[in-house]
Amino acid sequence: MNTKTLMITFLLLSANISFAEPLMKKEDKPLVSQVPEETQKINSDLDKYYAKLKYPPGFYEGAFLISFMGGGTLAPSGSFISHEKNYDSALQYKIVTKEVSQDYYPQGSIRSQDPGLYFKPTYTPGVASQFDFEYGWKEKIGLGFTVMQNSMNAKRQDVIPGLSYYKEYVDPIPRERTIYRGNSMSFLATYHPIPRNFFDPYLVARAGVVSFTGEAHSGITHDRFVYSNQISSGIGSIVGVGAGLNIYLGRYFGIKAEVDYYREFLKADQFSMRTLNSYQAMIGVFVNLSNVQYRLEQ
């Protein structure tokens, strides 16, 4: 009888322990979920980090981008180019009709009844380079400025200044000349329709001032009183519009491409006002300095 009583007592105690264990774990659960002060500090630092680097892979308010691009000038036009081409046409007529001298050729190389030797000119756009500094004023709008240089070369004959006061002498063969080299600084405004994205297309508008050098003529015939065709006091204004694409390779940098149309209004001592129109295709790299700075601070 005593053995049976002991067995029943043991079974009842085991049942009470098995039912009580889940209750104890359930009651202890809130204690485990409590966050200590150190964990709260870590979470606070993470929240602050991601708040400052909001949308780091793409364009956003507060982003500061510096970019460098290089490329070429396409399809130049305008009164600056057309005037120089008209000068070349007038000079071609004077060479062919022997109104200018080519006495430096060996005797007999040009017979008296033959026209003068004339070579067709070629105009070649030079390399363009551009620095952009852009700040995210709003989530989709950027403001900044651009520093740009572009040039244009020509291979053509011309009257030799200085030797042509009494008699005009023309180049025997075409010579390479830089007819335009401009340096501009302009304000820029951009619109980014898809911010916070690795692929960041944008539209851009620019307006500013330009200084330039090169060679130009005041008229369509040579002025015998000048000793140089070098442009002096070249200054003007420049406006442009374009479209581009930033491709982010991370939070800090990426590659970009841009196509622009520029119109320049130029004046110099040789002329009062001429225009130069051009398209430019550029490719380069950029860095997001706002993220780089925060990275260095960490």
Side-chain angles (χ1 to χ4, degrees):
M1 187 67 179
N2 291 335
T3 304
K4 187 174 182 180
T5 301
L6 288 173
M7 290 180 65
I8 292 172
T9 303
F10 177 76
L11 290 173
L12 289 174
L13 288 172
S14 299
N16 288 334
I17 291 171
S18 62
F19 282 111
E21 185 177 1
L23 293 175
M24 290 174 64
K25 287 184 179 180
K26 187 175 181 181
E27 292 174 358
D28 292 339
K29 201 169 184 180
L31 296 176
V32 175
S33 64
Q34 291 178 358
V35 181
E37 292 183 1
E38 184 178 352
T39 304
Q40 287 181 347
K41 184 178 183 302
I42 293 174
N43 291 338
S44 176
D45 291 341
L46 288 175
D47 291 340
K48 182 180 178 181
Y49 176 78
Y50 285 108
K52 188 160 186 176
L53 289 184
K54 192 176 182 181
Y55 316 130
F59 188 82
Y60 54 90
E61 182 178 348
F64 183 33
L65 307 181
I66 293 182
S67 63
F68 170 75
M69 292 187 291
T73 303
L74 310 174
S77 62
S79 61
F80 182 89
I81 299 296
S82 62
H83 182 277
E84 294 304 303
K85 290 183 177 180
N86 289 337
Y87 176 89
D88 290 334
S89 297
L91 181 60
Q92 177 182 5
Y93 177 80
K94 295 175 71 173
I95 293 175
V96 171
T97 59
K98 296 186 177 180
E99 293 182 33
V100 293
S101 177
Q102 292 182 316
D103 295 342
Y104 36 72
Y105 285 117
Q107 291 292 331
S109 60
I110 301 178
R111 295 177 299 179
S112 59
Q113 66 271 26
D114 291 338
L117 293 180
Y118 180 81
F119 300 89
K120 291 184 176 180
T122 58
Y123 288 79
T124 306
V127 175
S129 58
Q130 178 174 303
F131 284 93
D132 281 348
F133 302 83
E134 180 185 359
Y135 176 73
W137 181 54
K138 299 290 184 182
E139 185 182 53
K140 296 183 179 182
I141 300 175
L143 298 176
F145 63 94
T146 296
V147 178
M148 182 180 68
Q149 182 182 86
N150 61 327
S151 62
M152 188 176 306
N153 301 322
K155 195 170 185 180
R156 62 179 182 172
Q157 292 169 282
D158 200 354
V159 175
I160 303 174
L163 298 178
S164 304
Y165 188 82
Y166 297 104
K167 188 176 182 180
E168 289 184 338
Y169 286 86
V170 71
D171 293 320
I173 58 174
R175 290 192 295 127
E176 188 78 26
R177 294 173 167 87
T178 299
I179 63 170
Y180 175 85
R181 183 181 301 278
N183 298 281
S184 65
M185 177 174 287
S186 55
F187 294 101
L188 70 83
T190 58
Y191 174 69
H192 300 255
I194 313 175
R196 312 183 301 277
N197 198 295
F198 282 99
F199 294 92
D200 174 30
Y202 63 90
L203 302 174
V204 60
R206 295 182 175 92
V209 296
V210 57
S211 64
F212 65 98
T213 59
E215 288 190 12
H217 304 85
S218 57
I220 61 172
T221 59
H222 175 70
D223 183 358
R224 67 191 181 99
F225 295 102
V226 303
Y227 61 90
S228 174
N229 296 321
Q230 189 75 21
I231 293 174
S232 57
S233 304
I235 196 169
S237 59
I238 181 172
V239 294
V241 293
L245 175 66
N246 293 330
I247 301 177
Y248 288 78
L249 303 179
R251 294 176 177 175
Y252 313 110
F253 65 92
I255 59 177
K256 68 184 304 174
E258 186 174 308
V259 177
D260 301 285
Y261 167 76
Y262 287 103
R263 184 174 178 84
E264 301 178 43
F265 302 89
L266 309 174
K267 64 178 182 178
D269 291 343
Q270 286 78 9
F271 51 84
S272 58
M273 181 61 68
R274 292 176 189 171
T275 60
L276 179 61
N277 311 322
S278 62
Y279 294 90
Q280 290 188 1
M282 314 279 279
I283 189 169
V285 296
F286 68 90
V287 176
N288 187 342
L289 283 187
S290 59
N291 284 356
V292 172
Q293 179 183 359
Y294 186 75
R295 179 68 176 178
L296 294 175
E297 290 176 354
Q298 296 302 305

